[in-house]
Structures are given as C-alpha cells and as structure tokens.
Amino acid sequence: MPNNPIPAAANNPADAFNRLLTVLDTLRTQCPWDKKQTMETLRHLTIEETYELSDAILEGDLNEIKKELGDVMMHLVFYSRIASETNDFNIVDVLNGVCDKLVNRHPHIYGDVEVQNEEDVKRNWEQIKLKEGNKSVLAGVPGSLPALVKAARIQEKARGVGFDWENKNQVWEKVEEELQEFKAEFNVEDNTAIDVEKAESEFGDVLFSLINYARFININPENALEKTNKKFIKRFQYLENKAKENGKALADMTLAEMDIYWNEAKKL
C-alpha cells in the first residue's frame, strides 16, 4: 500500500474540518480496521468516548476536553461517511439538517417571535417540536438514558409546556411527603420484613422528587452524584494506601481504625 501524503494542519475551522474528512476518507478506504466498521460496531465506542468527555468536563481538564471533543467529532464524521456509502445521507446533509433545525427552533432570532427570558425560549422549543411531528413532549427523551439523567430530562420537558410546580417550597414539601411514604413501608428501628416491591416504588418516588428539587435550585443531579462518586473514590483509595503503608489489610481492620484514615482523607 503506497504511503499517503499527510494533510497539513489547518488554520481555520473550514479547512480543519475538511482535513478531518480527508483523513477519515483515507482510513475508510485503506485501513483494515476502519473498513470493517459499521454504525453498530461504532455505537459502544461512541458511548465510551462520550463518557470520557463527561469525565474530563467534571475534572475541569481543558486539554483532555479538547482531545475528547476531537474523538467525538471523529465518530460523528465516521457515521456520516458510512451512511454516504449507501447514499442514505452524508456529512453535508447532517450539517444542513442541524442548521435548519436550529433556525426553525429559534424564531426569536430568525423570525419575528418575541421572548422575555430563557423559559419562553424553552417553551417555544417544545411547541415547535410538536408541530414538527413529535407525538409527545416526552418523545425526545431517549429510552436508553441512565435513569437519573432521564428523570431530569423528563422534568425539563414537562416544564417546557408549563407542567411544573410554581415554587421550590412546593417541591420540597413533595420531597418530605415522599420520604414519609417511603419510611411508612418499613420500621427503621427493627428488622420487620418489608414489601420490597412497594419500598422500591416509594424509593423511586423519593429520588424523582429530589431530582425535581435539584432542578429548582439549579443543581444538575447527574453532576452532583458523579462528583460525590469521585470524592468517595479518592477518599477510599487514600484509606487503602494508608493501610498498605502500615502493613494492614482493610479486611482485617475495624471500622474505627478505618475511620481514622477516612477522616484524614476528608481533611485533604
């Protein structure tokens, strides 16, 4: 296989995007791995790249964000290249399609509709989507989304058409109500058997109401939980390392001993 000239680095967005298209075209026709890929084989890799981008954003690592954005962009171009081979659509169709959608859904920018605030924009967005053929406001929420993210999106969509609480106090009252209903399914002071199915249902209601309250105070529940996950991992790994330094195994330590290192980690 002959060597291919390496496309020169570009100095403007259009040339940089064209460079990516050129590289992908070459790989698709000449690389054994790239030749074999389909939309289905790329799917799980795209999901992985998206999560890697999400991690970089939460870590605030701008250099890593730049790299992961490039990986995601490459995947989008790859899908378009695959579709072009069967004449279903190509990258031009994809880009024109999203531009047309943005223009159509922003009549306050490209038309004569007036808006007062962000909420007006969201409301218009959902109404326009219904006019475009969506049968339900919630139809745009992917079924495969993780449950926590899905709950937040469902609530945002409903809010876009005015189905929402009036103030955060009402939402917090709902949280407390759901907590009491969850607690009513078992006695926290003894080991009385519980109806797991009912308790699970009530626990789901508690989570849904907490996510709702988070939305009212501008907290992204997914980000909040993931930051807590990362915080726990760092503290637990500190505990593991300190135990190892002292020649101890966690399984052989008491909770009181582990708490000493845990509290040290919290202070760092």
Side-chain angles (χ1 to χ4, degrees), residues 41 50 53 95 162 185 188 201 213 252:
T41 62
T50 303
L53 172 61
L95 296 176
E185 290 302 322
V188 296
S201 176
Y213 189 74
D252 299 327

Side-chain angles (χ1 to χ4, degrees), residues 17 22 32 46 73 98 116 128 136 149 153 170 181 247 254:
F17 193 72
T22 300
T46 307
M73 185 77 71
V98 71
Q116 300 300 320
I128 292 170
S136 168
V149 180
R153 292 297 292 138
Q170 294 173 316
E181 291 181 5
T254 65

Side-chain angles (χ1 to χ4, degrees), residues 3-197:
N3 291 330
N4 291 282
I6 300 174
N11 295 316
N12 62 73
D15 288 344
F17 193 72
N18 190 59
R19 185 188 188 206
L20 175 59
L21 294 176
T22 300
V23 170
L24 254 296
D25 283 345
T26 301
L27 296 180
R28 182 64 173 171
T29 57
Q30 298 184 23
C31 173
W33 185 88
D34 289 281
K35 284 181 179 180
K36 292 179 60 177
Q37 300 315 303
T38 65
M39 291 190 182
E40 288 76 16
T41 62
L42 286 175
R43 177 181 176 274
H44 76 282
L45 297 176
T46 307
I47 293 172
E48 182 179 325
E49 294 294 354
T50 303
Y51 276 110
E52 289 178 358
L53 172 61
S54 175
D55 283 343
I57 291 172
L58 288 180
E59 293 292 339
D61 188 335
L62 291 175
N63 188 55
E64 195 64 22
I65 290 172
K66 178 182 68 174
K67 289 163 48 178
E68 297 302 340
L69 282 172
D71 290 341
V72 172
M73 185 77 71
M74 180 272 291
H75 276 244
L76 304 183
V77 170
F78 208 157
Y79 287 116
S80 300
R81 166 63 203 234
I82 292 172
S84 72
E85 295 165 5
T86 53
N87 294 318
D88 288 298
F89 62 83
N90 57 35
I91 191 64
V92 175
D93 299 322
V94 170
L95 296 176
N96 280 332
V98 71
C99 287
D100 290 342
K101 180 171 69 175
L102 288 172
V103 169
N104 187 53
R105 294 186 185 176
H106 289 79
H108 55 289
I109 302 297
Y110 298 102
D112 55 6
V113 173
E114 294 185 4
V115 296
Q116 300 300 320
N117 50 42
E118 176 189 1
E119 292 306 315
D120 287 349
V121 174
K122 290 181 178 178
R123 193 173 299 109
N124 286 341
W125 182 280
E126 296 302 337
Q127 291 172 350
I128 292 170
K129 288 180 68 175
L130 289 174
K131 291 178 181 177
E132 291 174 347
N134 283 17
K135 296 181 179 179
S136 168
V137 170
L138 303 182
V141 181
S144 58
L145 276 180
L148 187 67
V149 180
K150 185 189 293 184
R153 292 297 292 138
I154 287 171
Q155 293 168 5
E156 290 170 0
K157 292 284 187 180
R159 183 181 187 178
V161 291
F163 187 76
D164 202 5
W165 301 93
E166 293 180 355
N167 59 68
K168 65 180 182 181
N169 292 333
Q170 294 173 316
V171 186
W172 185 250
E173 288 175 2
K174 186 63 175 176
V175 172
E176 293 181 322
E177 175 188 323
E178 297 296 353
L179 279 169
Q180 289 303 315
E181 291 181 5
F182 175 51
K183 184 179 178 181
E185 290 302 322
F186 54 88
N187 188 331
V188 296
E189 297 177 355
D190 61 35
N191 294 319
T192 304
I194 67 171
D195 186 324
V196 176
E197 187 173 341

